[in-house]
Structure formats: structure tokens, C-alpha cells
Amino acid sequence: MIGYIKRFWREASDKCKAYTTVAFALLLIFFGLDVYECTLNKKAEAEIENTANSVFDSLVQEIESMDTQTQEIMELLKNMVIEIKPQWIKLALLAASSIIGVFIDIMKKPVEGIKDILSKGLEDERDEPKIWIPFMVLMVIDITEIFLTFS
């Protein structure tokens, strides 16, 4: 690997080296933003679970601590609370991930603009030696984005 990098730095033109450096910087930025988004989603999921447990479980515990006659009356409410909890968690997770997605998209907009400028610049330099490397790095960014969108 190190030998390949050394050979690349000897054979590639200065333009290709610059394009490759920018492409790798963009790859790191996109990867960092995706990891940050994943971290935010995990934190949101944990917070939503904790909130749901504290809200819904406390209602069920209160009903279970009532006397037998009141428990019979409140059994329907208890069953409803038990059924609503997973649906509420799903809805809250959907809302949280949508908000986080919008936030991350706002952060990615300037980087997407730089990536588009770089892609257009690369199209004009196709005859440069080793120019396929920055193309491949940009392709890795696109494939990763598509994969993470559907996962």
C-alpha cells in the first residue's frame, strides 16, 4: 500500500494530486457527518426509550397498585397504555430521525457543493495520468451515501 502511494505521488500530475487530496478530505467529512448522524440517532433512541419507560410504565404501575375493584375498571386503560407504548416509540423515533436528517442535510449542503465543483473539474481533466483515483473516491462517497440512506 505504501509503495502504491509513493508511486502515485511520483507519477500523478499536480492537478491529480490536488483533486485526490480534496476528494479524500470530502470523504473524511462525509464519513464524519454520517458517524455524527448515527451517534445522534442512537442518543435520540435511548432518550425516547427512557421517556417512554418513565411515562408509560409509571401509569401501568399505578394501575397495578390500585385495589382489585379499581384494577378491573382500569384494566382497559392499562391494556391501551401497553399497546400504545411501542407505537409511540416508533412515531417518536421517526420524528427524531427526520429532524436529525434535516440537520445533517443542512450541514452537508456546502460539502455537496464542493463535491459538485470537484466532479465538474475532474470531467475536464480525464486525460491526466492517475485521474481515475479521485473519481473512485467520489464514487465511494456516493455509494456510501446511497447505502446509508437505505439502511
Side-chain angles (χ1 to χ4, degrees):
M1 182 75 160
I2 294 172
Y4 183 80
I5 294 170
K6 285 180 182 179
R7 193 169 64 244
F8 168 76
W9 284 111
R10 274 193 317 265
E11 296 173 6
S13 67
D14 289 339
K15 282 183 183 179
C16 184
K17 291 175 189 175
Y19 284 131
T20 304
T21 304
V22 173
F24 272 117
L26 291 176
L27 179 67
L28 290 174
I29 291 169
F30 275 102
F31 183 73
L33 287 172
D34 290 334
V35 168
Y36 183 58
E37 182 178 15
C38 182
T39 303
L40 288 177
N41 280 327
K42 293 291 182 191
K43 285 181 182 178
E45 185 177 335
E47 196 62 38
I48 288 168
E49 283 283 335
N50 291 339
T51 302
N53 289 337
S54 65
V55 170
F56 292 104
D57 291 349
S58 64
L59 285 171
V60 171
Q61 288 173 353
E62 282 184 38
I63 292 171
E64 288 176 349
S65 67
M66 295 176 178
D67 59 55
T68 310
Q69 186 179 7
T70 311
Q71 272 186 357
E72 290 174 7
I73 296 170
M74 299 298 280
E75 190 68 26
L76 185 61
L77 178 63
K78 178 180 150 186
N79 292 338
M80 186 175 69
V81 167
I82 291 171
E83 289 175 16
I84 287 176
K85 181 181 172 182
Q87 303 305 321
W88 185 86
I89 290 173
K90 288 177 188 174
L91 184 64
L93 285 174
L94 178 65
S97 65
S98 297
I99 292 168
I100 290 168
V102 168
F103 173 68
I104 295 296
D105 283 344
I106 290 169
M107 292 172 66
K108 282 184 180 179
K109 284 291 182 207
V111 185
E112 286 283 347
I114 296 169
K115 190 178 115 198
D116 290 341
I117 292 168
L118 182 65
S119 296
K120 289 175 185 168
L122 282 171
E123 288 175 12
D124 297 337
E125 305 293 335
R126 288 187 183 208
D127 57 342
E128 290 278 331
K130 302 276 186 183
I131 202 71
W132 61 272
I133 294 174
F135 272 115
M136 293 304 294
V137 174
L138 292 179
M139 217 161 67
V140 167
I141 292 172
D142 292 336
I143 291 169
T144 305
E145 290 295 308
I146 290 169
F147 177 74
L148 291 174
T149 300
F150 293 110
S151 61

